[in-house]
Amino acid sequence: MIPWEELSCALSAAALYLLGKGSGRDAEALRSVTRVNQIKDLAVILENARKVLPLIVTISGRVGSKAPIHCEHSGLRGVIVEETAEQHFLKHNESGSWTQDSALILSMNKEVPWYLDDGTGHAYVVGARGAAGFALSVASEVFEESGRSLVRGTLEYLQGLKMLGIKRVERVLPTGTTLTVVGEAVKDDVGTIRIQRPHKGPFYVSPKNIDQQIAYLGKWARVLDAAAQRQTSDKKDSHELKTLADNGKGECLPPDICVVCLEQEYNAVFVPMFAADRVPDKFSVVVTCAAAPTALRI
């Protein structure tokens, strides 16, 4: 039977390896997309690319809408608005103490048709909330304390609860935000151009431009690959130490690591210490390494 530690190590290394490969493939996919410098050129590009559809492109521009949403709490105008409200309270537990807890009492999402505009033209973006890299910014976060009264306090005490208040958070994609979108470009019968999730291929909506996204994914691919190799190396070292311990009937040989700095390889010299008219009964162990030369006596 395979020991659990070795199985866990192998699974971790495999997971890191697969994640690293996935990030590397995503970076390569982004390098292959068609870069559109001006949105006005999209119509011509689509016309010339009819035989090679789907056409995966990247465009950048500012968020706009013909009917933006007026945000109630922040006062901003946005195209996507998410509002949540959480009731915070203290709960009386079985041990007699009070613990803080919360419950979601409101979750509301609004979205209107919106587009990216770079000054030369605009293209609508569809399904952005399901795209990689997409995130709404917190526009407003307030805490409304609960009012206190004798009747309410009595009811809460009988229920084992103490209401603290309601936390309201408003997340928004404001108009005017600069975004980069990677997705499939399509044009409908009336000439409206949309960027949407492709059946197969990358779909990104992010404040980072295409080069920043590629660099970010490439960095993560290298980090995860190095972590996977380190995990595999640690597993091999652990297996070798266990084999040495088994062959030595339980006496595991220590690694060649300095006991002082725990980083560099050690170099030990045993020098006998003589007392007058006596045989050597002590040794001076001189341990040297680049980090911390020192001497120990045993």
Side-chain angles (χ1 to χ4, degrees), residues 237-254:
D237 293 343
S238 176
H239 179 72
E240 290 177 351
L241 287 174
K242 185 178 184 300
T243 302
L244 289 172
D246 293 340
N247 294 337
K249 297 181 180 180
E251 296 179 359
C252 179
L253 297 179

Side-chain angles (χ1 to χ4, degrees), residues 96-108:
S97 60
W98 294 87
T99 57
Q100 186 169 340
D101 203 349
S102 64
L104 185 66
I105 60 176
L106 174 66
S107 180
M108 182 178 62

Side-chain angles (χ1 to χ4, degrees), residues 180-213:
T180 293
V181 175
V182 177
E184 180 185 3
V186 296
K187 184 169 66 172
D188 60 21
D189 296 336
V190 296
T192 302
I193 296 176
R194 301 191 309 272
I195 308 296
Q196 62 188 21
R197 175 184 292 277
H199 179 68
K200 184 178 180 181
F203 186 39
Y204 283 84
V205 177
S206 171
K208 296 188 177 94
N209 62 40
I210 185 71
D211 292 321
Q212 290 172 328
Q213 290 176 6

Side-chain angles (χ1 to χ4, degrees), residues 2-60:
I2 301 176
W4 169 249
E5 291 81 2
E6 292 188 16
L7 180 60
S8 176
C9 184
L11 291 175
S12 298
L16 290 170
Y17 174 80
L18 292 175
L19 287 172
K21 286 296 182 183
S23 295
R25 285 194 299 268
D26 289 345
E28 288 300 321
L30 289 182
R31 290 190 183 96
S32 67
V33 304
T34 301
R35 302 194 180 204
V36 180
N37 296 323
Q38 295 184 324
I39 295 179
K40 71 175 183 178
D41 297 331
L42 257 179
V44 178
I45 294 173
L46 278 168
E47 188 69 24
N48 295 333
R50 282 185 174 182
K51 296 182 180 180
V52 292
L53 295 178
L55 176 65
I56 310 300
V57 303
T58 177
I59 63 172
S60 297

Side-chain angles (χ1 to χ4, degrees), residues 81-103:
V81 179
E82 293 182 358
E83 183 181 345
T84 59
E86 291 181 346
Q87 176 72 64
H88 288 250
F89 53 88
L90 296 177
K91 182 168 57 176
H92 197 251
N93 56 34
E94 295 178 354
S95 64
S97 60
W98 294 87
T99 57
Q100 186 169 340
D101 203 349
S102 64

